[in-house]
Amino acid sequence: MREVNFSIPNGNKASVYITATLYDRRALDCTSTLPLINSLNHLAYLTTSSARIRDILTVDGGVERLVCILKEGRSRDEMHMWKWNLAFQCVVNIGVRGTEPVRTRVVEADMVPVIASILHDYTLVVERERQKLDSDRQRNPAKTKTNGPRSARLPRDLAQEQTIRGSFLEHQMTNSEARQGRRQAPPPSLELAQPFADRLAAGEPSQTAPLPPPPPTVLTSPPERTTFNRPVLQHQNRSHDSRDAFDRDANAGPSTGVPNNADGFSLRPVRDIDRLPSMVPPLNSAIPSNPESPTTPSAPPTQRGMLSPAGRRLRRPSIRHQLSNDDVHMEDVDTIVEDTVVEQEATDTRDRTDPDDGEVTPRATTRDDEERDPLSLTIPGTLPPNEDNVDIAQQTPTAATALESLLTQAENEDGNSPAVNGPQPTASPLPPPLNTYSNFFLRNPQTNSAIVPLMPRDDDVLMGLQLLAYISKYCDLRHYFQATHLVPRLRIDREVEKAYGPAPEAEPLGEPTEDELEEYLQPDDVNIFPLVEKFTVPHHSKDMQSWACVVMRNLCRKDDARGGTRQCANYKCGKWEDFPKQFAKCRRCKRTKYCSKECQRDSWNLSDTSADNGKRLVDAAIKYGFLYISPEGTLFTESLVQSQFDLSKQFFAQPISEKEKYKIGTDNRGFTGMHNEILDPSKDSKEFKEAFNMGEFNDDRMPQQNMPPWLATGENLEQLRNFEEACRTTCNRVLDLIGIGLEVEDGVDWFSRRHGRPSGCTVRLLHYPSLPEGTDYSLDTDVRAGAHSDYGSITLLLQRPSQPGLEIHPPGRSDIWSPVPVFPSGYHSTTFPPILVNIGDLLSYWTSGLLRSTVHRVIFPHDTKAGEDRYSIAYFNHPLDDAELVAVPSRIIREHKESLQRNGAGVEEENEHGYGGGMTSERAMTAKEHLMKRLGATYKHRVER
Ligand SMILES: O=C(O)CCC(=O)C(=O)O
Ligand SMILES: [Fe+2]
């Protein structure tokens, strides 16, 4: 009997493959996953150890091919995942370790959208997890309250997780030493982990050839987790399009062999003729890094891409996206294989001493490194009208209009922040505990398990940021970072929606259209810098923060090719200086430069939870107790706020008899009518306002008070819930920023952890009617709301565009009032005002008076007696009822208390810090006791019905 006349070749080998001693470009075109993994595994080693291989990969289309593999997206299939990880690692190796021309080629090969997509996906999950956590806290405060500091638990979880997940980093990225000098050992021939091998072997015609035993070390990371399913697409890899036939000759060059090199490295060197223009060293300075060349895949940004039928830019696939088979003439093949045998280089000095490395290696973050913006960006400071007032942006004296003064007080002529009450917290180094807020969303054991496999790994983010740090420093490449797009097949928006439900206030995502899946149809409307900035915050790992900070610093680099000018640090603006040193530098960080005050303000919003922002917020809270935040980065949308005001109008339009059915009780919930409340008992004045207090909803999101049925049902109820959620989550963000700014040692979520249910949180609808003709109103004594400070931790105030009236005492001046405009000068919207945040008594008390609970009031407009009705909505944020007002573990607070004691100061003067005073003893009052005490004072003077 004849034996079967076939045998199984070594299961891991393709006919053309890459090993530790052989590089063959065609191996990357392999369509079979396993052999490709094998080749990529070795390529990961080669790209680490050999500058020549990196060089060659940029001329033979290897980089583009790798990018194509990445753009195909990831699938749940473990092997695909493994392949993706390896390809990613190879590109990162090339970009991080390569020379400037090599890095340029990595950018030109369109790697930036891949990184943007990774960062986008990761932050998407972070955001949803954070929202989930916020609402869990709200629903189940006991859990979040008693579990101790979450942030203290998490690093352990992280450590465990990292041992499982960190192999890529261990392999390549964990320390800069390894990056800069140490050569990794060549990988052993990749063998399959047994389960994969078994699976793969199942159904094979012959099981007789035993698989070799597993190697002692496997340097690449097996897929430690799976990813989401993606449709298998025929044309997902544009490298398989053969539409760029005109480029074939250009690619054929590198495929020819050359004899052994004198340095003992038998790989042929790259000839200049084979290089892309951006790679030719002598020409490099003279030509842009993205020349218009038939051999260059991407044209400069202005011309980049052809127009699609829809008029959008077609992102032309790289010529090197083609299979190398297309590029290589068959007669060359033998020679290529023979001549691309490489021996391991004995030394590669470029790997060890990359002159560029020093420039981008992140330093330990110090306070000086933190970029800070002047307080004037967002903070309605106040200034007595008789004081000189200098506009810092224009450096010219301005009329001391209240509006201007509110925005300019924060910095003096020199741009230095004026002295603040209490110690300047800016002089201290960043404390390590900031990092213990590490990724609390993602490493929370309750993290949606369905989503964990979907999101990029921490390692992917870290590698992406690291690569960006190395490539973003080249100013002529900056447009690639400021105008990029997301790769449709890498995006996980729909999977995230499935796992978490539709995003609040967002339309559910339907099935993707064909256009949405076509990468070349995506507009270049994504700026990578805002994405990166999200990783500068303390709740990401220290490494992520460091690399992200390097990238952000690169944004502010001066461009020598433009005569040493810099770009406005507001990435939405992007304006360049007309001449060096035109834009004023932030006096505090000595680094950031903005073209205008507007840009400074615009670039600050709540989604930026960096230490810098926390510091600025705390500075404002110390000095003014009031600040604006932009609704961007919160759950507030213009329509949500508008509909809440509509409900408010509807409520107050009811006859008084109807409203009085919901009269306020001692629980502080319900309706309070005209002249009923006296906020400033020291004055014999009437208050022309009515209000409706809505306390927090219960676990089923139902009101816990008597409410008009039309308001507490159906869409209106849903709307109230959404509004309340926006308020609560915004407050938690602000509290976290305060935790960051105060460098709280027990986790920066120290304050927000102490908020949840049950609490005294209240949404208050306010109506200040216009005065009827012939009223007995007295301009001198009567007000809409008397002077008071708020009782809780923080208050959010939402106002309507044409309805001003709020006034505050400026710092140290309890004898005068300064108006707080609805829109600060230069604000970007005229219809959707920013949210005003003010510090309440409780937070002032909690921080020993360091944060200022500012006295404020609402007056009738001076210009007209009657004015128009004023509607406003306040959200009074309170801690958990039984949260103890114990000392905040913060060096800044401790120092403040010490300085108070040194100066013999007790409780601050009432008018300086509201009526709550400062906590000077350690006695622990609960939040509820504090609230009752404060409400008691008000109720005492209140006319009870
Ligand atoms: O209506 C306003 O603008 C302020 C209201 C206020 O301060 C309060 O209700 O505590
Ligand atoms: Fe208030």
Side-chain angles (χ1 to χ4, degrees):
M1 198 172 102
R2 285 182 58 194
E3 274 191 47
V4 284
N5 63 351
F6 60 83
S7 64
I8 299 300
N10 186 333
N12 284 344
K13 301 287 196 299
S15 56
V16 180
Y17 51 89
I18 298 170
T19 71
T21 53
L22 178 144
Y23 168 76
D24 189 320
R25 164 67 184 82
R26 293 171 305 160
L28 296 180
D29 298 329
C30 179
T31 51
S32 177
T33 307
L34 186 58
L36 182 55
I37 287 175
N38 204 357
S39 287
L40 287 171
N41 182 40
H42 286 98
L43 191 63
Y45 159 68
L46 291 174
T47 50
T48 309
S49 59
S50 167
R52 286 171 198 284
I53 291 292
R54 294 194 291 269
D55 214 9
I56 284 175
L57 278 157
T58 63
V59 291
D60 69 358
V63 178
E64 284 83 352
R65 171 70 188 127
L66 291 168
V67 172
C68 277
I69 291 172
L70 297 176
K71 287 184 172 184
E72 286 168 11
R74 294 179 289 193
S75 77
R76 275 191 194 278
D77 180 277
E78 291 166 328
M79 302 303 282
H80 272 106
M81 189 60 206
W82 198 353
K83 175 183 81 175
W84 195 95
N85 291 343
L86 282 166
F88 190 63
Q89 189 177 2
C90 289
V91 181
V92 172
N93 288 348
I94 297 164
V96 167
R97 303 175 76 91
T99 55
E100 177 174 351
V102 167
R103 290 174 183 162
T104 300
R105 292 294 307 134
V106 169
V107 174
E108 289 173 343
D110 222 19
M111 185 61 184
V112 178
V114 173
I115 304 173
S117 308
I118 290 168
L119 302 184
H120 166 85
D121 289 351
Y122 194 86
T123 49
L124 196 65
V125 182
V126 166
E127 206 46 50
R128 300 306 298 270
E129 275 296 320
R130 176 156 194 146
Q131 283 163 11
K132 195 175 84 164
L133 202 70
D134 280 341
S135 74
D136 286 353
R137 279 178 187 178
Q138 175 74 9
R139 279 160 200 262
N140 207 349
K143 213 164 82 188
T144 50
K145 180 173 50 113
T146 53
N147 277 357
R150 189 195 334 273
S151 46
R153 280 197 334 272
L154 289 168
R156 283 204 298 278
D157 303 336
L158 168 63
Q160 277 167 12
E161 202 179 344
Q162 289 289 31
T163 46
I164 305 164
R165 298 178 55 182
S167 52
F168 262 73
L169 282 193
E170 283 156 24
H171 175 47
Q172 175 66 17
M173 310 286 289
T174 42
N175 67 50
S176 56
E177 220 186 318
R179 271 193 307 273
Q180 287 173 15
R182 213 181 290 152
R183 173 94 38 81
Q184 70 180 56
S189 203
L190 177 66
E191 303 301 346
L192 293 177
Q194 204 57 43
F196 302 142
D198 290 349
R199 215 172 311 154
L200 212 89
E204 291 275 346
S206 167
Q207 300 282 344
T208 52
L211 284 161
T217 48
V218 176
L219 290 175
T220 54
S221 172
E224 63 273 23
R225 61 177 167 77
T226 54
T227 50
F228 51 94
N229 261 329
R230 296 205 163 272
V232 178
L233 292 143
Q234 298 303 322
H235 300 293
Q236 51 185 260
N237 182 352
R238 288 175 298 156
S239 71
H240 294 264
D241 296 354
S242 47
R243 43 190 155 168
D244 292 317
F246 67 89
D247 287 320
R248 280 181 191 175
D249 288 348
N251 274 347
S255 305
T256 54
V258 293
N260 280 1
N261 203 332
D263 63 4
F265 195 80
S266 56
L267 185 65
R268 72 168 182 80
V270 178
R271 300 166 307 183
D272 279 355
I273 198 169
D274 298 331
R275 290 174 189 265
L276 294 164
S278 62
M279 295 186 60
V280 183
L283 294 176
N284 206 31
S285 55
I287 55 166
S289 56
N290 49 355
E292 283 183 278
S293 151
T295 56
T296 305
S298 332
T302 41
Q303 300 118 16
R304 192 155 39 129
M306 303 173 283
L307 278 183
S308 73
R312 282 170 286 177
R313 296 269 154 210
L314 278 180
R315 194 169 284 271
R316 186 159 57 87
S318 160
I319 50 163
R320 292 169 194 79
H321 291 192
Q322 297 176 39
L323 292 172
S324 58
N325 286 355
D326 291 343
D327 304 334
V328 178
H329 302 291
M330 279 317 289
E331 57 272 25
D332 291 329
V333 170
D334 287 346
T335 338
I336 297 163
V337 177
E338 273 166 31
D339 289 337
T340 52
V341 174
V342 295
E343 291 165 8
Q344 188 183 342
E345 277 179 292
T347 53
D348 182 347
T349 49
R350 265 193 290 179
D351 281 349
R352 296 195 174 178
T353 52
D354 184 341
D356 293 324
D357 284 355
E359 286 180 56
V360 294
T361 302
R363 294 169 284 147
T365 314
T366 64
R367 179 64 53 204
D368 278 351
D369 289 332
E370 295 300 319
E371 295 178 359
R372 293 178 208 93
D373 298 335
L375 292 179
S376 60
L377 300 185
T378 52
I379 297 137
T382 56
L383 191 65
N386 57 347
E387 278 188 29
D388 277 353
N389 189 12
V390 177
D391 183 304
I392 50 141
Q394 280 88 43
Q395 298 288 305
T396 52
T398 59
T401 61
L403 194 112
E404 266 302 293
S405 67
L406 285 171
L407 291 162
T408 51
Q409 165 70 3
E411 286 207 350
N412 62 20
E413 242 171 302
D414 299 319
N416 292 320
S417 292
V420 293
N421 294 326
Q424 282 284 9
T426 52
S428 58
L430 273 181
L434 287 184
N435 288 322
T436 62
Y437 199 40
S438 51
N439 246 336
F440 68 91
F441 338 95
L442 306 181
R443 290 169 190 133
N444 182 338
Q446 276 99 50
T447 297
N448 191 327
S449 57
I451 208 69
V452 171
L454 309 193
M455 58 185 299
R457 303 165 312 160
D458 293 357
D459 302 359
D460 298 331
V461 171
L462 190 54
M463 284 194 271
L465 289 172
Q466 191 186 23
L467 175 56
L468 266 185
Y470 280 88
I471 56 183
S472 59
K473 65 179 179 176
Y474 304 116
C475 294
D476 57 337
L477 296 179
R478 197 171 290 163
H479 53 264
Y480 283 98
F481 306 104
Q482 290 176 323
T484 183
H485 61 275
L486 302 177
V487 180
R489 293 181 203 296
L490 281 173
R491 292 182 70 160
I492 59 170
D493 303 52
R494 285 180 173 80
E495 288 81 359
V496 167
E497 189 186 78
K498 260 185 226 143
Y500 293 93
E505 288 291 300
E507 291 290 309
L509 300 167
E511 279 303 304
T513 62
E514 294 239 322
D515 276 8
E516 280 170 344
L517 289 174
E518 275 297 352
E519 192 191 344
Y520 69 86
L521 290 177
Q522 308 308 311
D524 281 331
D525 58 358
V526 173
N527 185 338
I528 211 162
F529 289 106
L531 279 173
V532 172
E533 199 176 37
K534 293 187 176 157
F535 292 88
T536 59
V537 304
H539 52 254
H540 288 294
S541 75
K542 204 169 164 217
D543 282 349
M544 282 187 199
Q545 284 179 65
S546 304
W547 287 111
C549 285
V550 174
V551 179
M552 295 312 291
R553 279 203 288 273
N554 284 342
L555 170 66
C556 300
R557 268 174 182 253
K558 67 170 187 262
D559 188 352
D560 291 329
R562 285 174 172 263
T565 54
R566 291 179 199 264
Q567 207 170 7
C568 174
N570 176 5
Y571 32 64
K572 284 180 242 159
C573 166
K575 196 166 150 191
W576 284 91
E577 288 177 323
D578 294 329
F579 49 87
K581 303 201 169 125
Q582 181 189 6
F583 298 158
K585 207 183 255 185
C586 169
R587 305 304 201 284
R588 301 168 76 210
C589 72
K590 310 268 190 292
R591 199 182 305 113
T592 313
K593 286 182 152 205
Y594 293 100
C595 69
S596 64
K597 264 198 315 182
E598 285 67 37
C599 273
Q600 288 175 314
R601 187 178 305 118
D602 198 33
S603 71
W604 194 94
N605 79 38
L606 202 59
S607 57
D608 172 3
T609 46
S610 62
D612 176 30
N613 254 355
K615 194 55 68 188
R616 282 190 291 155
L617 194 143
V618 162
D619 284 351
I622 290 172
K623 184 158 193 232
Y624 304 106
F626 267 78
L627 62 138
Y628 295 106
I629 56 170
S630 163
E632 286 97 47
T634 73
L635 295 181
F636 289 110
T637 59
E638 193 161 358
S639 67
L640 178 69
V641 173
Q642 182 58 54
S643 49
Q644 185 80 3
F645 274 106
D646 290 345
L647 291 181
S648 171
K649 261 191 190 162
Q650 221 176 312
F651 178 86
F652 291 116
Q654 299 176 112
I656 185 78
S657 57
E658 190 58 30
K659 292 184 273 194
E660 285 193 338
K661 286 185 189 161
Y662 309 99
K663 204 162 58 176
I664 196 163
T666 45
D667 60 358
N668 201 33
R669 293 174 181 157
F671 172 73
T672 168
M674 197 66 68
H675 308 328
N676 189 30
E677 199 176 65
I678 300 166
L679 286 171
D680 183 359
S682 68
K683 294 260 172 9
D684 186 21
S685 58
K686 291 194 282 296
E687 297 194 5
F688 289 74
K689 69 155 188 268
E690 49 181 352
F692 183 56
N693 288 359
M694 289 181 281
E696 64 191 8
F697 292 176
N698 66 16
D699 284 353
D700 299 325
R701 305 183 81 205
M702 292 304 291
Q704 308 188 64
Q705 69 193 82
N706 194 13
M707 296 255 276
W710 61 268
L711 185 59
T713 51
E715 270 186 27
N716 289 349
L717 175 64
E718 205 44 43
Q719 196 276 323
L720 293 181
R721 289 169 172 162
N722 290 342
F723 184 83
E724 189 270 345
E725 191 189 355
C727 292
R728 192 171 26 80
T729 53
T730 303
C731 284
N732 278 339
R733 292 283 182 93
V734 173
L735 289 169
D736 285 350
L737 275 170
I738 291 174
I740 291 168
L742 288 177
E743 300 174 7
V744 177
E745 285 139 23
D746 192 13
V748 291
D749 58 346
W750 197 88
F751 289 109
S752 59
R753 276 203 319 260
R754 284 160 175 78
H755 285 69
R757 261 203 317 263
S759 75
C761 287
T762 302
V763 172
R764 172 172 244 209
L765 309 178
L766 285 144
H767 175 221
Y768 307 89
S770 51
L771 290 170
E773 286 294 319
T775 179
D776 58 351
Y777 154 81
S778 148
L779 180 69
D780 295 332
T781 55
D782 291 345
V783 286
R784 283 181 148 166
H788 69 283
S789 56
D790 294 345
Y791 312 151
S793 14
I794 48 176
T795 302
L796 304 183
L797 185 69
L798 293 112
Q799 305 175 88
R800 294 289 74 198
S802 60
Q803 300 170 7
L806 184 70
E807 293 190 330
I808 63 176
H809 277 321
R813 296 295 301 265
S814 54
D815 54 331
I816 52 168
W817 290 100
S818 287
V820 179
V822 175
F823 290 103
S825 148
Y827 190 69
H828 58 77
S829 168
T830 52
T831 55
F832 189 18
I835 301 153
L836 209 51
V837 179
N838 68 286
I839 302 298
D841 290 343
L842 186 135
L843 200 57
S844 180
Y845 177 82
W846 214 344
T847 56
S848 298
L850 178 63
L851 302 193
R852 177 187 160 85
S853 172
T854 301
V855 175
H856 53 283
R857 67 175 189 177
V858 182
I859 54 148
F860 286 99
H862 285 297
D863 49 355
T864 151
K865 231 183 161 198
E868 69 172 276
D869 283 16
R870 178 175 203 267
Y871 291 87
S872 66
I873 302 172
Y875 177 74
F876 302 113
N877 188 230
H878 288 266
L880 287 156
D881 280 345
D882 58 357
E884 291 185 345
L885 306 181
V886 292
V888 183
S890 152
R891 180 191 52 77
I892 293 167
I893 304 282
R894 282 194 300 275
E895 286 176 5
H896 168 66
K897 274 166 60 175
E898 279 161 24
S899 93
L900 285 179
Q901 278 155 14
R902 258 197 318 277
N903 299 331
V907 173
E908 300 285 317
E909 228 184 86
E910 281 197 341
N911 282 345
E912 282 296 307
H913 290 292
Y915 298 128
M919 185 174 73
T920 49
S921 74
E922 295 297 329
R923 70 197 156 82
M925 200 191 280
T926 65
K928 186 158 189 182
E929 283 165 2
H930 185 272
L931 176 63
M932 284 304 140
K933 196 168 145 227
R934 298 290 292 118
L935 281 174
T938 310
Y939 279 123
K940 231 177 17 210
H941 302 277
R942 230 159 83 145
V943 183
E944 295 286 357
R945 290 180 195 240

